[in-house]
Amino acid sequence: RNFHTLVFRSLKRTHDMFVADHAKAVALDDESHKLKLAVKLKADYSPVLHMPVLKEGKDRMSQYPDGLHDNEAYMQPDDPEYLITGTHAYPSGPGVALTADTKVHRNPSESGIHSLALALPPSQARQESSRTAATVAEIRRGAERAHAQSTALLLLEGGGTRNSNLLRRTPVMPKPQWHPPWKLFRVISGHLGWVRSIAVEPGNQWFVTGSADRTIKIWDLASGKLKLSLTGHISTVRGVAVSSRSPYLFSCGEDKQVKCWDLEYNKVIRHYHGHLSAVYDLDLHPTIDVLMTCSRDATARVWDIRTKANVHTLTGHTNTVATVRCQAAEPQVITGSHDSTIRLWDLIAGKTRATLTNHKKSVRTLVMHPRQYTFASGSADNIKQWMFPDGNFIQNLSGHNAIINTLAVNSDGVLVSGADNGTIHMWDWRTGYNFQRIHAAVQPGSLDSESGIFACVFDHSESRLITAEADKTIKVYKEDETATEESHPVNWKPEILKRKRY
């Protein structure tokens, strides 16, 4: 205890000894000041320090001493007839020659300060003297204030280049386009298990569903009546697709099988063998006879439809590949996986061309905009929009706080997301504004927990939305034709954009 007391006393004595000198300027040495000033002048301002201007009839020349002997020699022009043009702080006007009094600008000495203070009126002298003897606390406060100001400036300037207007306007979400609300139009029953997949045929006359009851059913789109049931899978049918180039229907399921059905004979005509585990999704290439499938074995496979050959096995994902999409432009194949990444593939080389790692949870669904060169991905953390071809991030669509199983988008810019808890959210594609939320009642006799939405798709007229649900039903929605912008206004507030960079 005594030792600590001595130490603190010593510190206090030291502090008291030097605290009075904190605010005093260090005495300047004239020689060192001259040398420092000369070095600084030559190093920083030598090209423009003295720009001599010839009087009429004389040649222009500029000579500088090689050495830094002293300040006077450095700053004295060789010819007295040269004129100095505004290059020295003293005098400031152009065309005025330096004199012995003005050629060096020195800081005032201590004696000069004291004589100036004596010449001032008493009240002002007292004020000036108190101003020079700043306390340690004031110095600290000044330093903290300066640090806070510099931090604020850095924060303001963090988003872009420095400019005079530091307080820039925060970007505001533009007003979304008005979309009429959607309402439930029809409920179709017939499956005995969860309805896992949907596809609409190119002629827009019928649509096909795959279910956990191991059947594939074909329904009339206009009336909702059952046209045909196809059996052959021995486990849940997870994906269906109808070809626009031939009368073929493709299906895949948890039985590891990928089948091609000839709809003229309603029979399986081809099997595509190769996947080592459940096949979760498939898609047809729009312009060439190629089929893409993805599986729980963490691969996606490219098949030649006619020869059944496995053209490529796309490896790189480290977990279940849950969704695959094709397009005619590059990149022609896009996959989403439970490893929370999206991969864009080079179809010719069979290799990854880009990996998008922004999602934090499993990516279960992808959808491509029918008119723009963009796509969206759905996950439990967010819906994200991306730009082709490199997968540049556009924006987050936040608010659908559930496991998103399916996405669909139409040409009007209506994005639909369906989730595990039975909710459907409608979004404006351009602005990301959530303009409608739907939670339809489950089929009588089903549990409330059986309200998940596994798949949704717009028909080709884009006037109907078809959903596949966990209560074993297929629900059809259509736009409310009686709705107007006055009766259903957009409850939009110009929110500040919160677009994350990941």
Side-chain angles (χ1 to χ4, degrees):
R1 184 177 176 184
N2 293 334
F3 175 73
H4 280 286
T5 306
L6 289 171
V7 169
F8 283 122
R9 279 182 185 167
S10 174
L11 286 172
K12 188 173 184 306
R13 276 200 302 274
T14 309
H15 179 268
D16 292 342
M17 188 184 300
F18 291 104
V19 73
D21 297 329
H22 264 290
K24 289 186 180 178
V26 179
L28 293 174
D29 175 58
D30 285 344
E31 286 300 318
S32 62
H33 176 67
K34 280 184 193 176
L35 188 61
K36 183 175 79 172
L37 192 60
V39 170
K40 186 171 179 63
L41 288 170
K42 185 164 186 182
D44 294 348
Y45 306 111
S46 60
V48 295
L49 181 64
H50 298 305
M51 301 177 69
V53 178
L54 273 177
K55 286 192 172 179
E56 292 179 14
K58 298 228 175 187
D59 294 330
R60 181 171 180 169
M61 57 187 294
S62 174
Q63 294 179 0
Y64 294 98
D66 293 331
L68 292 173
H69 302 300
D70 67 4
N71 212 27
E72 282 84 353
Y74 176 66
M75 299 176 62
Q76 182 67 37
D78 293 338
D79 193 332
E81 292 182 345
Y82 280 115
L83 295 180
I84 309 304
T85 59
T87 57
H88 197 275
Y90 230 62
S92 60
V96 182
L98 291 177
T99 65
D101 297 328
T102 60
K103 65 184 178 183
V104 179
H105 173 61
R106 290 190 179 87
N107 288 332
S109 62
E110 287 284 334
S111 58
I113 292 170
H114 287 305
S115 61
L116 179 64
L118 290 170
L120 290 171
S123 60
Q124 196 172 347
R126 251 196 323 275
Q127 190 180 348
E128 293 296 324
S129 62
S130 66
R131 191 176 296 163
T132 56
T135 63
V136 177
E138 284 174 1
I139 291 168
R140 278 190 186 150
R141 277 200 295 273
E144 286 169 4
R145 204 157 41 239
H147 177 68
Q149 286 173 354
S150 64
T151 308
L153 287 175
L154 284 171
L155 287 172
L156 284 167
E157 294 170 6
T161 57
R162 180 169 181 163
N163 55 24
S164 57
N165 183 16
L166 292 173
L167 296 169
R168 292 172 301 175
R169 263 187 89 185
T170 310
V172 174
M173 187 176 80
K175 188 169 183 179
Q177 177 188 343
W178 183 80
H179 301 284
W182 292 72
K183 62 181 183 181
L184 183 62
F185 167 61
R186 176 177 287 138
V187 179
I188 302 170
S189 300
H191 277 295
L192 302 177
W194 289 356
V195 189
R196 300 298 308 235
S197 51
I198 306 178
V200 180
E201 65 98 10
N204 214 40
Q205 298 297 310
W206 48 266
F207 67 95
V208 58
T209 56
S211 168
D213 63 8
R214 301 170 294 180
T215 65
I216 298 165
K217 292 184 184 286
I218 296 174
W219 311 83
D220 183 70
L221 186 59
S223 65
K225 291 181 179 177
L226 181 64
K227 292 167 70 78
L228 183 69
S229 290
L230 300 173
T231 57
H233 280 282
I234 57 172
S235 190
T236 301
V237 181
R238 292 292 292 257
V240 287
V242 185
S243 174
S244 59
R245 299 159 59 82
S246 51
Y248 294 157
L249 164 69
F250 296 86
S251 65
C252 64
E254 291 180 7
D255 52 10
K256 311 177 194 175
Q257 295 185 38
V258 181
K259 297 176 184 284
C260 174
W261 305 76
D262 188 328
L263 294 175
E264 291 178 350
Y265 299 97
N266 299 331
K267 290 183 180 178
V268 177
I269 58 168
R270 294 189 188 99
H271 285 91
Y272 301 90
H273 294 288
H275 278 297
L276 307 175
S277 189
V279 187
Y280 276 12
D281 196 13
L282 53 74
D283 199 21
L284 289 163
H285 196 285
T287 55
I288 56 177
D289 287 333
V290 163
L291 171 69
M292 315 286 172
T293 58
C294 62
S295 166
R296 197 168 62 193
D297 62 13
T299 67
R301 290 178 185 256
V302 183
W303 309 91
D304 186 316
I305 288 174
R306 297 183 183 281
T307 65
K308 301 182 284 185
N310 185 186
V311 180
H312 289 303
T313 301
L314 307 178
T315 58
H317 284 295
T318 57
N319 206 331
T320 300
V321 185
T323 178
V324 61
R325 288 291 172 266
C326 294
Q327 63 179 1
E330 293 292 339
Q332 295 182 54
V333 185
I334 309 100
T335 57
S337 167
H338 286 196
D339 64 9
S340 75
T341 66
I342 301 160
R343 285 180 181 255
L344 314 179
W345 301 87
D346 183 334
L347 180 58
I348 297 166
K351 293 180 181 177
T352 304
R353 56 180 285 168
T355 304
L356 312 180
T357 59
N358 303 40
H359 279 292
K360 297 180 178 64
K361 300 286 179 69
S362 302
V363 180
R364 296 169 186 266
T365 177
L366 297 168
V367 67
M368 290 181 287
H369 195 285
R371 291 183 179 172
Q372 299 176 14
Y373 200 35
T374 56
F375 72 105
S377 57
S379 175
D381 57 356
N382 263 318
I383 300 166
K384 295 181 188 289
Q385 289 178 341
W386 313 86
M387 181 78 73
F388 285 127
D390 300 318
N392 297 323
F393 176 72
I394 301 172
Q395 66 177 344
N396 277 326
L397 278 61
S398 301
H400 202 167
N401 301 316
I403 296 170
I404 294 168
N405 290 320
T406 178
L407 293 171
V409 63
N410 65 12
S411 302
D412 197 31
V414 175
L415 174 67
V416 181
S417 57
D420 237 18
N421 59 3
T423 58
I424 298 171
H425 283 206
M426 305 279 193
W427 312 81
D428 178 54
W429 179 274
R430 183 175 63 93
T431 60
Y433 173 71
N434 181 202
F435 69 88
Q436 190 181 3
R437 300 181 180 190
I438 303 169
H439 194 172
V442 296
Q443 181 177 236
S446 297
L447 300 171
D448 285 339
S449 58
E450 286 187 323
S451 61
I453 294 164
F454 294 119
C456 66
V457 66
F458 286 100
D459 74 337
H460 294 296
S461 70
E462 298 184 336
S463 61
R464 284 166 287 197
L465 172 70
I466 311 166
T467 64
E469 309 207 0
D471 63 356
K472 305 171 190 171
T473 65
I474 301 142
K475 294 187 173 72
V476 183
Y477 295 83
K478 66 176 185 178
E479 290 181 340
D480 187 350
E481 295 168 357
T482 62
T484 61
E485 194 165 357
E486 289 75 26
S487 62
H488 290 81
V490 177
N491 297 321
W492 166 80
K493 294 176 183 177
E495 298 172 356
I496 294 171
L497 288 183
K498 296 177 181 175
R499 295 185 182 180
K500 296 179 182 175
R501 294 186 178 273
Y502 50 83

